[in-house]
Amino acid sequence: MEVTQKPTAIITGASSGVGLYGVKALIAKGWYVIMACRNPEKAQKVAQELNFPTDSYQILKLDLGDLGSVRRFVDAYRALGRPLRALACNAAVYFPLLKSPLYSADGYEVSVATNHLGHFLLCNLLLEDLKQSPEPDKRLIILGTVTANSKELGGKIPIPAPPDLGNFEGFEAGFKAPVAMINGKAFKSGKAYKDSKLCNMLTTRELHRRFHESTGIVFNSLYPGCVADTPLFRNHYPLFRTIFPWFQKNITGGYVTQELAGERLAEVMADPDYRESGVHWSWGNRQKAGREAFVQELSAEGSDDAKAQKMWELSAKLVGLA
């Protein structure tokens, strides 16, 4: 198969974890993948270690915590001249031990800036590329998380605090220091992550509402299972990084390997069984051999169309689209 004939996908955070193994699975399906990574050298090293065919991937620098980097990435992608068939917004940062907020290059709390605002801008900029692509069955996929969805068991645990976007008081105030939470309240690092992922799922919902009928693009989110040893937890206590995977493997039965999670991401991006738009795919919390995906109901806040619309409008202002 010639390179030019391969369908093209972009996966963010593709140098490790779910993103890396999503690249591997898509390449096995005959795709060409743009690995969008903050550290291109690291991405090149792991791509070589996993023996990715050199004619099946390209690495482009993307720092989602820097809105200028997002715009430069889109320009670099467009310069390649490859029609876009699928985009997966996978990258995320998590700083559970912070007592005070870190701020991005644009002055926003870094978890929300990276996980939500950077991806929000990326989705909006690449939406036109998806629209114009002659490829059939185009998809835009965003990874959610169980901890931001109270309809799933893992989302019922209120530690350190449940997600709560309030009425977007923090966004309304411009989301610059000293403001660090979307609802404008006191900073809680773990909650900032949950809030950012809730915004990811609301973004998918609003993309579907605004654009699916007119474009035919499939917009979905997913939870691939508990990837308890993902590099997402690199900033947690060392003891947590040891105990949590053991607990998920031996007590809850929820553990999923990075490779299996990547395969599930690739399925939602490419397989015919996932053509329904506007849904949240999940494999649940208790893993079994041959477990199949199902459409998971989202929390009241994650299903709130009015909240999704307000989130969209305020996020557009923060990233310079309005």
Side-chain angles (χ1 to χ4, degrees):
M1 182 183 290
E2 296 294 331
V3 171
T4 54
Q5 295 177 325
K6 295 179 180 179
T8 298
I10 294 171
I11 298 181
T12 70
S15 64
S16 64
V18 179
L20 174 63
Y21 287 100
V23 174
K24 180 182 178 183
L26 276 183
I27 288 175
K29 291 177 181 289
W31 286 57
Y32 187 92
V33 187
I34 307 299
M35 300 174 67
C37 304
R38 186 168 43 187
N39 186 334
E41 293 76 20
K42 175 185 175 183
Q44 185 61 58
K45 183 174 184 292
V46 295
Q48 291 173 344
E49 289 173 352
L50 291 176
N51 296 313
F52 290 173
T54 56
D55 64 349
S56 295
Y57 74 94
Q58 181 150 352
I59 299 165
L60 294 180
K61 183 176 178 60
L62 172 62
D63 181 353
L64 287 157
D66 179 346
L67 298 176
S69 176
V70 175
R71 294 181 183 278
R72 290 189 293 274
F73 168 83
V74 172
D75 289 342
Y77 166 70
R78 288 175 176 163
L80 300 177
R82 301 191 65 96
L84 182 61
R85 182 166 171 182
L87 166 64
C89 297
N90 159 75
V93 296
Y94 177 43
F95 298 99
L97 306 183
L98 289 180
K99 302 302 181 185
S100 58
L102 296 175
Y103 290 92
S104 73
D106 304 284
Y108 303 133
E109 189 280 321
V110 71
S111 299
V112 174
T114 303
N115 304 347
H116 167 55
L117 292 174
H119 276 135
F120 180 85
L121 177 59
L122 184 68
C123 290
N124 274 274
L125 295 178
L126 289 175
L127 187 60
E128 196 59 36
D129 297 77
L130 284 168
K131 288 179 183 177
Q132 294 180 2
S133 173
E135 297 276 6
D137 190 16
K138 297 171 285 192
R139 305 186 193 183
L140 194 162
I141 308 299
I142 306 180
L143 267 77
T145 179
V146 66
T147 60
N149 181 23
S150 61
K151 290 292 184 178
E152 296 191 78
L153 179 62
K156 298 181 186 297
I157 302 171
I159 300 172
D164 171 23
L165 305 178
N167 200 30
F168 298 99
E169 292 87 349
F171 276 8
E172 291 271 19
F175 205 52
K176 296 287 182 75
V179 177
M181 299 299 288
I182 293 173
N183 64 5
K185 296 184 179 180
F187 177 69
K188 294 180 180 179
S189 56
K191 181 180 180 299
Y193 170 78
K194 292 182 183 181
D195 288 350
S196 71
K197 298 306 291 182
L198 178 57
C199 283
N200 285 160
M201 293 186 280
L202 285 172
T203 297
T204 305
R205 187 176 187 88
E206 187 65 2
L207 281 165
H208 170 78
R209 188 188 72 83
R210 287 174 178 247
F211 302 113
H212 173 66
E213 187 173 343
S214 61
T215 67
I217 298 169
V218 171
F219 301 100
N220 287 324
S221 54
L222 81 150
Y223 169 62
C226 184
V227 193
D229 55 4
T230 173
L232 178 68
F233 299 117
R234 64 171 66 91
N235 296 303
H236 218 306
Y237 291 116
L239 185 60
F240 175 90
R241 298 199 302 268
T242 299
I243 292 176
F244 188 54
W246 179 90
F247 183 78
Q248 293 295 335
K249 290 176 183 178
N250 298 287
I251 304 301
T252 70
Y255 175 81
V256 174
T257 65
Q258 297 176 42
E259 186 154 14
L260 178 56
E263 291 169 1
R264 289 172 172 178
L265 172 60
E267 288 172 12
V268 174
M269 293 178 71
D271 288 8
D273 291 343
Y274 299 90
R275 284 182 178 149
E276 182 180 358
S277 182
V279 302
H280 178 72
W281 294 105
S282 177
W283 279 260
N285 290 297
R286 297 197 62 81
Q287 300 301 314
K288 298 177 181 177
R291 178 108 191 204
E292 294 184 356
F294 59 92
V295 174
Q296 171 67 57
E297 183 183 3
L298 294 178
S299 66
E301 193 170 23
S303 304
D304 188 330
D305 286 337
K307 181 154 283 191
Q309 291 176 51
K310 186 167 186 177
M311 179 275 302
W312 183 282
E313 293 162 2
L314 291 171
S315 298
K317 291 180 181 179
L318 293 174
V319 303
L321 291 174

